[in-house]
């Protein structure tokens, strides 16, 4: 996939393979640094939490999964981040910014997660 994210003042546009998928307008008075979207992958029986941490700090966050009876105790986090907001891939360094997948354990309906600075995180967890 080719992912492009444009941030221009209070507008965030997310592209996948050149096609605009999400277009967010954040009110100027909003002082949030975490932006969240949740989807269900029904065929796989998973919830997908998509979180953007726009701040320069780790954001420890309490997550409460409502509307589900059971949550698997393991899951996956796929994180795209870099040391600098200006980092980008190039022909000379095509792997400077790449997603990293890590296993999560100890998940429940209520758990905490530390979102890295300047990151996009997808958390996949089986839930029903």
């Amino acid at each position: 996939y080719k992912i492009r994210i444009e941030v221009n003042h209070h507008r965030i546009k997310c592209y996948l393979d050149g096609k605009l998928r999400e277009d967010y307008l954040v009110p100027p008075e909003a002082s949030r640094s975490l932006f969240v979207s949740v989807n269900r992958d029904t065929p796989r029986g998973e919830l997908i939490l998509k979180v953007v941490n726009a701040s320069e700090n780790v954001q420890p966050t309490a997550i409460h999964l409502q509307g589900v009876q059971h949550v698997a105790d393991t899951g996956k986090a796929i994180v795209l981040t870099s040391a600098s907001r200006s980092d980008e891939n190039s022909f000379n360094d095509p792997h400077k910014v790449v997603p990293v997948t890590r296993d999560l354990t100890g998940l429940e309906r209520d758990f905490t997660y530390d979102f890295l600075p300047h990151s996009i995180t997808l958390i996949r967890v089986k839930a029903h």
Side-chain angles (χ1 to χ4, degrees):
Y1 297 103
K2 182 178 180 185
I3 299 170
R4 185 174 88 233
I5 299 170
E6 296 176 357
V7 179
N8 186 358
H9 298 284
H10 299 289
R11 176 167 241 126
I12 302 170
K13 293 182 178 182
C14 302
Y15 296 84
L16 181 62
D17 291 334
K19 183 177 179 182
L20 179 65
R21 296 298 211 167
E22 303 288 341
D23 188 355
Y24 298 103
L25 185 59
V26 181
E29 65 276 4
S31 60
R32 299 183 315 164
S33 59
L34 288 180
F35 302 89
V36 180
S37 171
V38 180
N39 297 95
R40 182 177 293 278
D41 183 342
T42 302
R44 296 177 85 173
E46 293 179 337
L47 288 179
I48 305 169
L49 289 73
K50 303 171 196 173
V51 181
V52 175
N53 179 2
S55 80
E56 297 182 14
N57 302 306
V58 172
Q59 296 292 322
T61 305
I63 297 171
H64 307 286
L65 301 177
Q66 297 178 344
V68 295
Q69 298 298 319
H70 176 72
V71 173
D73 64 348
T74 61
K76 299 265 185 219
I78 304 160
V79 182
L80 182 67
T81 190
S82 187
S84 170
R85 287 189 341 191
S86 63
D87 283 348
E88 61 184 35
N89 294 341
S90 66
F91 287 114
N92 292 334
D93 193 358
H95 302 289
K96 185 169 191 153
V97 183
V98 296
V100 175
T101 301
R102 62 175 254 213
D103 293 327
L104 300 177
T105 58
L107 300 179
E108 302 176 30
R109 287 180 60 204
D110 298 322
F111 64 96
T112 59
Y113 186 86
D114 293 341
F115 293 97
L116 296 176
H118 307 296
S119 66
I120 301 170
T121 303
L122 276 72
I123 295 177
R124 297 186 74 106
V125 59
K126 290 201 179 279
H128 60 346

